[in-house]
Amino acid sequence: MKLLEERIRKDGKIKSGDVLKVDSFLNHQIDVELLEELGKEFYRLFGQEGITKILTIEASGIGVACITARYFGCPVIFAKKNKTKNIAGDVYTSKVESFTHGRVYDIIVSREFLLPGDRVLLIDDFLANGSALMGLIELVRSAGATLVGAGICVEKAFQPGGKMIRDMGVRVESLARVASMSEDGSIEFC
Amino acid sequence: MKLLEERIRKDGKIKSGDVLKVDSFLNHQIDVELLEELGKEFYRLFGQEGITKILTIEASGIGVACITARYFGCPVIFAKKNKTKNIAGDVYTSKVESFTHGRVYDIIVSREFLLPGDRVLLIDDFLANGSALMGLIELVRSAGATLVGAGICVEKAFQPGGKMIRDMGVRVESLARVASMSEDGSIEFC
C-alpha cells in the first residue's frame, strides 16, 4: 500500500537492532486518518469473508483494530497481556515472546467472547518474528473458531514471522512489507 | 448519557470489591458502534475547545480515544506503561497506582509528541480512584501544554477520583456516573 510505504519513508526511524520506529503515526502517537485508510484497505482485502470478530493484542494493535472494525461492522476483542482481577476463570491462554521487551508473557482472552461459530480476522501493527501472531492463532484454535487471516500494517519481511505463518496456510496480508533497511535511513519495500 | 447507562445495566457485571465489569462491550470485547456514539458525545461536549491532541493510557483507553479522535480530527497519543527499547531518552514520566493490578508503575510519553502549544483532551474508559487520570494530568503539565479537560466513559462516583480532580479545577465529563452498586446486580446512576 503506497500510502503507508510513503509514510514510513517520511516519518519512520530506523534504529540499531533492526528496530523500525513508527511511533509518530502508528503506535504511540496515532494518526487516525491514516488508520482509516488502512482499515478501508483491510476491508477491501477481507470484506467478503464474513468476519464476525476482529482479534488483536494490547496495546498497539487496538487502535487500528477498532478503526478497521468500523468497516466490518463487527466487535473487536483484544487479548490481554496480564491476568487482572477483572478477568477471572474462563479464559483461553497462549504465550508470546516479546522482541521489544525481551521476555515471554501469557496472553489471554475470555472464552465467552471467542466462540466456535466466529470467523476471526487478526489485526496487528507489526509482524516480525511472528510470536504475537502465533499466540493469537493459538487462541483462535483453542476456541474452535475459524481463522480467516491476518491483516498487518507493517511486516519486516526480512525476519522469519511472515514466512513461518504463511507456510502454515494462514492468509497474511501486510500493507507495507519491508524487504531491507539500514541505519543510514535507506529502506526498501517488497 | 442514557445509551451508556442502559448498556451498563444490561451487560455490566458487578463483582465483589467494587468491581464493575464492562468487558463485553468496553474494555476487552469492544462494541465499536457504541464507541462511535461515545465519541460523538465527547465531541458535543468538547468540540468547541480547539483540541489538538487526545491523550489516553494503554490499553483500554486506546479504542475509545481513537474513535473519538475521528470527530475531533486530531491525533491520539497513548501513554505507555513500560519503558521499551522502542522509546528511549526524551520522555515525560509520571506514576500511576493500579487498583486492578495492585501495583505502582511508571507511565511515559515521548516529549516530541506533547508540545507546549497543544490543547489536550484526556480520554479514558474508567475513573475510580483517579490515579491514571492524575498521571496523565502530570504528563500534560510537564509538557507545558494546556489541559482542556477529561472525557470519561464510566465514573464510579462513589470513589474519590472524580471529586479530587474536579476540585483541582479540571473539567471532567463522565458519560455514565455510577452513584452506587451492589453485588445483587442493582446499580444507580447520578
Side-chain angles (χ1 to χ4, degrees):
Chain A
M1 190 191 188
K2 279 287 165 214
L3 180 74
L4 183 56
E5 291 178 4
E6 283 166 11
R7 187 62 177 270
I8 293 167
R9 276 193 206 282
K10 179 171 162 278
D11 292 328
K13 287 175 188 164
I14 300 162
K15 303 286 181 183
S16 62
D18 284 336
V19 171
L20 174 59
K21 281 182 69 172
V22 291
D23 62 359
S24 66
F25 58 96
L26 195 59
N27 53 20
H28 181 29
Q29 181 167 256
I30 299 174
D31 179 341
V32 175
E33 283 180 37
L34 174 68
L35 259 49
E36 290 186 320
E37 296 306 315
L38 306 186
K40 280 181 206 169
E41 181 66 6
F42 287 132
Y43 186 73
R44 189 185 69 78
L45 292 163
F46 291 103
Q48 305 307 311
E49 296 288 347
I51 305 295
T52 62
K53 299 272 169 67
I54 288 177
L55 177 64
T56 188
I57 183 170
E58 67 174 49
S60 50
I62 297 174
V64 64
C66 284
I67 298 289
T68 299
R70 290 182 56 239
Y71 299 98
F72 285 86
C74 73
V76 168
I77 310 168
F78 64 89
K80 300 201 172 196
K81 287 179 181 170
N82 293 303
K83 186 154 190 167
T84 73
K85 278 194 220 171
N86 284 355
I87 296 189
D90 271 350
V91 297
Y92 299 113
T93 181
S94 62
K95 288 193 186 301
V96 169
E97 184 172 357
S98 170
F99 173 72
T100 314
H101 295 78
R103 64 186 183 89
V104 176
Y105 51 86
D106 291 314
I107 61 170
I108 58 169
V109 68
S110 290
R111 286 173 188 248
E112 62 183 309
F113 304 134
L114 202 53
L115 305 172
D118 275 325
R119 293 181 58 79
V120 181
L121 174 63
L122 308 177
I123 292 281
D124 209 0
D125 58 336
F126 258 95
L127 170 57
N129 290 301
S131 182
L133 208 49
M134 283 295 296
L136 293 175
I137 290 169
E138 197 178 322
L139 295 179
V140 174
R141 290 184 170 166
S142 301
T146 301
L147 176 63
V148 173
I152 303 295
C153 300
V154 185
E155 177 180 346
K156 293 197 278 189
F158 56 88
Q159 289 185 285
K163 181 178 185 323
M164 175 179 74
I165 289 165
R166 288 184 183 96
D167 283 351
M168 292 163 55
V170 176
R171 179 180 173 196
V172 179
E173 301 280 0
S174 300
L175 303 189
R177 299 186 72 215
V178 180
S180 65
M181 60 187 205
S182 72
E183 284 180 66
D184 66 8
S186 66
I187 185 162
E188 297 299 327
F189 294 96
C190 298
Chain B
M1 188 192 187
K2 279 288 165 212
L3 179 74
L4 183 57
E5 291 179 4
E6 284 166 12
R7 187 63 177 268
I8 294 168
R9 276 192 206 282
K10 178 172 162 279
D11 292 328
K13 288 175 187 165
I14 300 162
K15 303 286 182 183
S16 61
D18 283 336
V19 171
L20 174 59
K21 280 182 69 171
V22 290
D23 61 0
S24 67
F25 58 96
L26 195 59
N27 54 19
H28 182 28
Q29 182 168 256
I30 299 174
D31 179 342
V32 176
E33 283 181 38
L34 174 68
L35 259 50
E36 290 186 319
E37 296 307 315
L38 306 186
K40 280 180 206 169
E41 181 67 7
F42 287 133
Y43 186 73
R44 189 185 69 78
L45 290 163
F46 291 105
Q48 305 308 312
E49 295 288 349
I51 304 294
T52 62
K53 298 273 168 67
I54 287 177
L55 177 65
T56 187
I57 184 170
E58 67 174 46
S60 50
I62 297 173
V64 63
C66 284
I67 298 290
T68 299
R70 291 183 56 238
Y71 300 98
F72 286 86
C74 74
V76 167
I77 310 168
F78 65 90
K80 300 201 172 197
K81 287 179 180 170
N82 294 303
K83 185 152 192 169
T84 74
K85 279 194 219 170
N86 284 354
I87 296 189
D90 271 350
V91 297
Y92 299 113
T93 182
S94 63
K95 288 192 186 301
V96 169
E97 184 173 356
S98 170
F99 173 70
T100 315
H101 294 77
R103 64 187 184 87
V104 175
Y105 51 87
D106 290 313
I107 62 171
I108 58 170
V109 69
S110 290
R111 285 171 189 249
E112 61 183 311
F113 304 135
L114 201 53
L115 305 172
D118 276 323
R119 293 180 58 80
V120 181
L121 174 63
L122 307 178
I123 291 281
D124 209 358
D125 59 336
F126 258 95
L127 170 57
N129 290 302
S131 182
L133 208 49
M134 283 296 296
L136 292 175
I137 290 169
E138 197 177 322
L139 295 179
V140 174
R141 290 185 171 167
S142 299
T146 301
L147 176 64
V148 173
I152 302 296
C153 300
V154 185
E155 178 180 344
K156 293 197 279 189
F158 55 89
Q159 289 186 288
K163 180 178 187 319
M164 175 179 72
I165 290 165
R166 288 184 182 95
D167 283 352
M168 291 162 55
V170 176
R171 179 180 172 194
V172 179
E173 300 280 1
S174 301
L175 303 188
R177 300 186 71 213
V178 180
S180 65
M181 60 186 203
S182 71
E183 282 182 67
D184 66 9
S186 66
I187 186 163
E188 298 298 327
F189 294 97
C190 298

